[in-house]
Amino acid sequence: AQSVTQLGSHVSVSEGALVLLRCNYSSSVPPYLFWYVQYPNQGLQLLLKYTSAATLVKGINGFEAEFKKSETSFHLTKPSAHMSDAAEYFCAVSDTGTASKLTFGTGTRLQVTL
Amino acid sequence: EAGVTQFPSHSVIEKGQTVTLRCDPISGHDNLYWYRRVMGKEIKFLLHFVKESKQDESGMPNNRFLAERTGGTYSTLKVQPAELEDSGVYFCASNFGLTVGYGYTFGSGTRLTVV
């Protein structure tokens, strides 16, 4: 069974600083990986997804993530944080290419300070 | 296009009562999923419909939970009788097609509080 570990339930960065949110997965087969964001009082919004194409995936709002098979990681980064990035971020994995359930991490709440 | 719609957005009920949550997926999306997040924990899968059929209900916690999707359109999730541990945010998601490449669209969730 697959699993997802997100290190750090809370991350705080200064506006303009690098954002790095960590995600490690375990899967017995090549995974499909996702990052979702939840802004206050809103649903989950897809930031980006890896589906076995390019290992560096670019998403919305300047975020990107790199799939590293050797490290079983899919960390999310953004070069310069903005106040509007404050939200909760979820990493998720699917171990099949067919439409099926996602397994989520516990989430990381990002705080952006002035 | 309209997104995935869930209602109510909030529900507060007493232990032992019944609550029904509704999800309207994006029109034309055959796949519909229910997830739940208990406070501070991960978002957990409950079940997956393909049209009106239950494809995977391995995440349903117990027989107090009943999900239906009559006609393959909207879905309901009934909790009867509700217990304190059922409190959490219930998310619905839908997607089109047979592969994960299409992504999943989530609703805003229903926050259920059992007191």
Side-chain angles (χ1 to χ4, degrees):
Chain A
Q2 66 267 42
S3 66
V4 175
T5 301
Q6 291 185 241
L7 287 177
S9 58
H10 290 79
V11 170
S12 182
V13 300
S14 300
E15 190 173 37
L18 171 72
V19 176
L20 170 61
L21 304 183
R22 299 179 185 275
C23 172
N24 289 88
Y25 69 90
S26 69
S27 176
S28 58
V29 298
Y32 296 82
L33 295 156
F34 304 80
W35 275 100
Y36 281 88
V37 59
Q38 185 180 22
Y39 298 102
N41 300 316
Q42 295 187 28
L44 295 167
Q45 181 181 358
L46 180 65
L47 271 179
L48 48 82
K49 62 181 185 286
Y50 168 76
T51 56
S52 75
T55 57
L56 181 63
V57 181
K58 294 187 183 298
I60 61 171
N61 301 337
F63 284 93
E64 63 182 37
E66 186 172 9
F67 171 66
K68 292 187 176 181
K69 183 179 178 181
S70 61
E71 298 177 9
T72 61
S73 69
F74 191 57
H75 302 331
L76 182 70
T77 60
K78 181 175 180 177
S80 177
H82 191 271
M83 296 296 288
S84 60
D85 295 326
E88 192 160 20
Y89 292 78
F90 297 90
C91 182
V93 64
S94 171
D95 67 354
T96 171
T98 58
S100 66
K101 64 184 178 186
L102 295 176
T103 298
F104 283 87
T106 51
T108 298
R109 187 170 297 278
L110 176 67
Q111 180 183 24
V112 182
T113 59
L114 289 173
Chain B
E1 68 181 357
V4 176
T5 305
Q6 292 186 246
F7 54 91
S9 57
H10 294 80
S11 181
V12 180
I13 62 171
E14 293 184 351
K15 177 182 172 180
Q17 289 186 322
T18 297
V19 63
T20 300
L21 314 181
R22 173 167 169 154
C23 169
D24 288 61
I26 293 174
S27 178
H29 281 196
D30 289 339
N31 297 289
L32 186 150
Y33 308 80
W34 284 99
Y35 291 84
R36 177 175 72 173
R37 189 185 191 200
V38 173
M39 187 185 299
K41 300 205 172 179
E42 71 271 32
I43 299 169
K44 280 196 169 181
F45 167 80
L46 296 178
L47 89 159
H48 170 202
F49 283 100
V50 178
K51 298 185 180 178
E52 66 274 13
S53 299
K54 292 177 184 175
Q55 179 76 13
D56 180 358
E57 51 184 329
S58 61
M60 294 289 266
N62 51 60
N63 59 10
R64 294 185 295 103
F65 289 75
L66 175 64
E68 295 179 324
R69 192 182 182 196
T70 306
T73 55
Y74 70 91
S75 174
T76 58
L77 180 65
K78 180 190 287 187
V79 185
Q80 179 182 28
E83 298 289 345
L84 298 179
E85 64 264 26
D86 301 332
S87 296
V89 180
Y90 290 76
F91 291 102
C92 176
S94 71
N95 71 344
F96 169 80
L98 300 176
T99 70
V100 298
Y102 288 100
Y104 303 78
T105 303
F106 281 79
S108 299
T110 294
R111 182 175 297 277
L112 175 64
T113 303
V114 183
V115 297

